[in-house]
Amino acid sequence: MIQESREKQLLAEIAQLQEQVAQLTTDKKVFEAQQKLLKGFVALARAPTQERVLRHFLQQTLTLAVEMTQADRGSLFLIDSTGRVEDAILSRQITENQEEFRLYSQVIDKGLAGWVVQHKQIGLIADTELDDRWLQLPDQLYTARSVLCVPLLKGTEILGILTLLHPQAFHFGQESVELIRALADQMSIVVENAQLYSRLRSYSQTLNEELEKGQEIQVHFLPTQVPQRLGWEIATFFQPARRVAGDFYDVFELSSNQIGFIIADVCDKGVGAALFMGLFRSLIRIFSGQTNLEGLNFQTQLIHQFLGETDQDHLDVEGYYSVHLNALRAIRLTNDYIAINHGDLGMFATLFFGVLDPTTGNLTYINSGHEALLLCDRTGQVKAELTATAPALGIIPHLTYQVGQVQLEQGDFLLGFTDGVTEARNADGKFFGKARLLEALCSPFPSVQDLLQHIATEVGTYTGGADQFDDMTMIAVRRNEGEGEWKG
């Protein structure tokens, strides 16, 4: 009797030890699986091409589940918020059977998968022939006898369905359920990240396409061809920091063969600045009385008569060319329109608008808060700085504008630039500065286009690999020898 009691006690202890060993074995498997998932997360975070690595990681997650449960094959279906299958990862054993995948994805709401979706809990079928939850697909080449179906959840939302199959009945049991249950949360995180990344990538792709379209439109706002005249050179440089920019330049003909040119910097960066760039540019072109707008000719005087303007209205000048004054009046009209209609947005622009008489070299201008343009002689020495004559455009309505005037002699050149040039930063955060710009002007150059390229190269050398912080725009006008008519 005592012997029998000891045997029962020993058997109970052995059973308890076996249970503990089984639990330790399960814990060890879970721990090893979690370690693999963690390594996958680290690799994903460090990967430069996350899309490829992410899908590979999902494939590894499925492979891990197959290995842990010794399943014959498996599938991981990703489900969107409407319950539609948006993607699927298949184990290597069935990647070639696309017809089977297509059929299964169409009945995700039926059979065992449908039961799991409805109940939001693990579904186990020990033998498919004894469980009416199993749905045998028509013409299915593979016969599963034991199935384990796991919902991957975020709260009550189903992110995906993991299905494991085996041709032998009773292959999956409670141990398999416990293994998968222990990893289900980590798998849900993997699937959630996959879906978030996919949506982010789709949104990013759409945004990039829109930005590319915006960039294309903005480039078309800039003159496709800068008009030239014998005896003069006009060159421009434009390098945005982002897809779209707030900087802009313009060069166009006015009545009596006068030349209008602009360099400007709209506050802020990106899409908002780009939109206002287009608005500023269009208003100034129209209000200045440009006589040739892509083949559309119109009379400057008629426009200003229609606007009810007089030569001295809000312009503090004496003895300047009337055609110059008519054009420069565009600054006041543009300023009033922006300040009155869009002042609450706080968008403004620093802008230089000059009107040049190519016959005499006389330049009449308004500088609305822009960086001073540099008038230099043939050696690059600064003769004058065309500093601001008025506040930035679009802040205060109904201003009286001071107009400046200078003379370009033979060999003189005028350089205009935005602060993206002088405030370009190197890796230490230090500015390129005005002193380096002045030094670059003293280098011999065969054309003003070469001069602008030389300055851009000097800035690029100084900043090295540092990211471009601001848009960089330049315009240069030089008076050479000779006279002639416009060409271009």
Side-chain angles (χ1 to χ4, degrees), residues 69-282:
T69 59
Q70 296 182 341
D72 183 56
R73 59 180 63 188
S75 62
L76 176 58
F77 285 82
L78 307 184
I79 301 174
D80 64 17
S81 58
T82 66
R84 181 181 61 87
V85 175
E86 60 180 357
D87 199 0
I89 309 294
L90 309 177
S91 64
R92 291 181 178 84
Q93 297 94 325
I94 59 173
T95 52
E96 296 179 359
N97 192 354
Q98 294 301 317
E99 179 62 21
E100 183 175 337
F101 156 67
R102 187 187 66 81
L103 290 172
Y104 188 80
S105 64
Q106 290 177 347
V107 295
I108 194 72
D109 59 339
K110 300 179 177 64
L112 180 60
W115 184 90
V116 169
V117 169
Q118 180 183 358
H119 293 84
K120 295 181 174 57
Q121 63 184 35
I122 295 176
L124 171 64
I125 293 181
D127 187 350
T128 56
E129 293 185 356
L130 303 177
D131 197 314
D132 57 9
R133 291 179 299 173
W134 181 246
L135 180 65
Q136 188 70 27
L137 298 175
D139 301 324
Q140 189 173 358
L141 300 177
Y142 181 81
T143 300
R145 290 292 302 277
S146 186
V147 183
L148 185 60
C149 194
V150 184
L152 302 181
L153 302 170
K154 178 188 177 183
T156 59
E157 179 187 358
I158 292 187
L159 304 176
I161 296 290
L162 171 68
T163 304
L164 302 172
L165 308 173
H166 200 279
Q168 294 181 359
F170 299 98
H171 172 79
F172 300 114
Q174 194 58 36
E175 181 182 354
S176 300
V177 171
E178 295 303 321
L179 281 172
I180 293 300
R181 179 178 284 122
L183 280 181
D185 289 343
Q186 286 87 346
M187 290 181 179
S188 295
I189 294 174
V190 173
V191 173
E192 181 182 8
N193 285 341
Q195 292 179 329
L196 288 175
Y197 182 80
S198 177
R199 292 165 190 164
L200 177 62
R201 181 175 175 273
S202 176
Y203 172 76
S204 177
Q205 182 177 352
T206 301
L207 180 61
N208 283 334
E209 290 173 355
E210 291 299 317
L211 286 175
E212 287 176 3
K213 188 183 299 182
Q215 182 183 38
E216 182 180 355
I217 292 172
Q218 185 177 39
V219 168
H220 277 77
F221 281 155
L222 303 176
T224 56
Q225 192 172 21
V226 175
Q228 301 291 342
R229 186 171 188 175
L230 294 177
W232 291 86
E233 292 178 72
I234 302 177
T236 60
F237 179 89
F238 178 67
Q239 182 174 295
R242 302 181 183 177
R243 291 286 186 87
V244 289
D247 281 11
F248 71 96
Y249 66 87
D250 206 355
V251 184
F252 49 89
E253 296 182 55
L254 295 164
S255 62
S256 302
N257 275 341
Q258 305 301 291
I259 313 164
F261 64 90
I262 295 170
I263 184 168
D265 183 358
V266 180
C267 70
D268 207 356
K269 302 176 183 65
V271 175
L275 290 172
F276 269 84
M277 166 265 181
L279 180 59
F280 277 109
R281 183 257 188 188
S282 299

Side-chain angles (χ1 to χ4, degrees), residues 47-88:
T49 55
Q50 291 193 352
E51 180 187 9
R52 180 176 58 83
V53 176
L54 185 59
R55 189 167 184 82
H56 178 66
F57 188 28
L58 287 173
Q59 185 72 60
Q60 284 186 324
T61 302
L62 175 60
T63 301
L64 180 62
V66 170
E67 291 175 353
M68 287 180 61
T69 59
Q70 296 182 341
D72 183 56
R73 59 180 63 188
S75 62
L76 176 58
F77 285 82
L78 307 184
I79 301 174
D80 64 17
S81 58
T82 66
R84 181 181 61 87
V85 175
E86 60 180 357
D87 199 0

Side-chain angles (χ1 to χ4, degrees), residues 5 63 72 140 178 229 244 284 294 296 300-301 317 380 475:
S5 176
T63 301
D72 183 56
Q140 189 173 358
E178 295 303 321
R229 186 171 188 175
V244 289
I284 290 176
E294 297 300 327
L296 299 177
T300 303
Q301 294 299 327
V317 295
I475 187 168

